[in-house]
Amino acid sequence: MRKNSSTNALNEKQLKASCGMAYALNIVGGRWKPAILCRLIYKTMRYGELKKSIEGISERMLVAQLRELEKAQIIERVVYPEVPPRVEYKLSALGQSMRPMLRAMSDWGNMHRETVELVSLG
C-alpha cells in the first residue's frame, strides 16, 4: 500500500480528476474486472457461475474485484433470503450505461489483436 501523499498517488489523483478516460479505465481496468463485466453484460450470474466461467481467478481476487465494482456502483449484489443463501450479481443502472463503451472496447481489442497478429506473421 502506498502513501496517499506520495508523488505517484498525487499524480494518479490529479489524472483521474482531470481526465474522464483515465477515471473510467481506473474503474474497469485491471486483469479481472473486464472478464467479470464481459460476463455480466449478458446476464445476471451467481457467484459460483462467475468463478467457474473465469479461468485462473482465485476466490479472494474475485471477491475483491466484485466489491470494488459494487463500491463504484457498476454492479449490484442481490442476496436472496433462502437456505442455502443465494447471491447474484448484475449490472446496475450505471453499469448498464457502460454497455456501449464496453462493447466498443471489446470490438477495438479484437480488431487490434487480429491486426497485430497479422503484422507479426507477415
Side-chain angles (χ1 to χ4, degrees):
M1 194 94 187
R2 67 175 183 231
K3 294 193 301 186
N4 288 332
S5 60
S6 73
T7 302
N8 192 13
L10 294 173
N11 287 343
E12 180 182 13
K13 184 177 179 181
Q14 173 61 30
L15 187 58
K16 286 192 290 187
S18 64
C19 178
M21 186 183 304
Y23 184 82
L25 287 172
N26 185 65
I27 292 171
V28 301
R31 179 180 293 174
W32 302 111
K33 287 179 188 172
I36 293 166
L37 293 170
C38 181
R39 284 147 181 85
L40 293 180
I41 200 170
Y42 295 107
K43 66 178 184 173
T44 297
M45 296 180 77
R46 294 177 71 168
Y47 175 85
E49 289 178 291
L50 275 169
K51 175 80 173 84
K52 286 178 190 173
S53 71
I54 305 172
E55 188 174 330
I57 192 168
S58 68
E59 290 201 26
R60 180 179 175 194
M61 184 55 66
L62 179 57
V63 167
Q65 298 296 280
L66 289 169
R67 284 185 181 151
E68 285 183 25
L69 288 167
E70 187 179 8
K71 183 179 177 185
Q73 300 178 19
I74 303 303
I75 65 169
E76 293 177 359
R77 181 177 186 263
V78 182
V79 180
Y80 295 92
E82 302 173 352
V83 178
R86 179 170 53 117
V87 178
E88 292 181 342
Y89 293 90
K90 64 181 183 176
L91 290 180
S92 65
L94 196 54
Q96 295 282 351
S97 73
M98 296 172 64
R99 282 173 174 260
M101 176 190 72
L102 294 172
R103 286 201 175 106
M105 288 175 67
S106 178
D107 291 345
W108 185 87
N110 289 330
M111 179 277 302
H112 184 269
R113 181 178 50 240
E114 290 169 9
T115 302
V116 170
E117 286 175 357
L118 285 175
V119 169
S120 66
L121 291 175

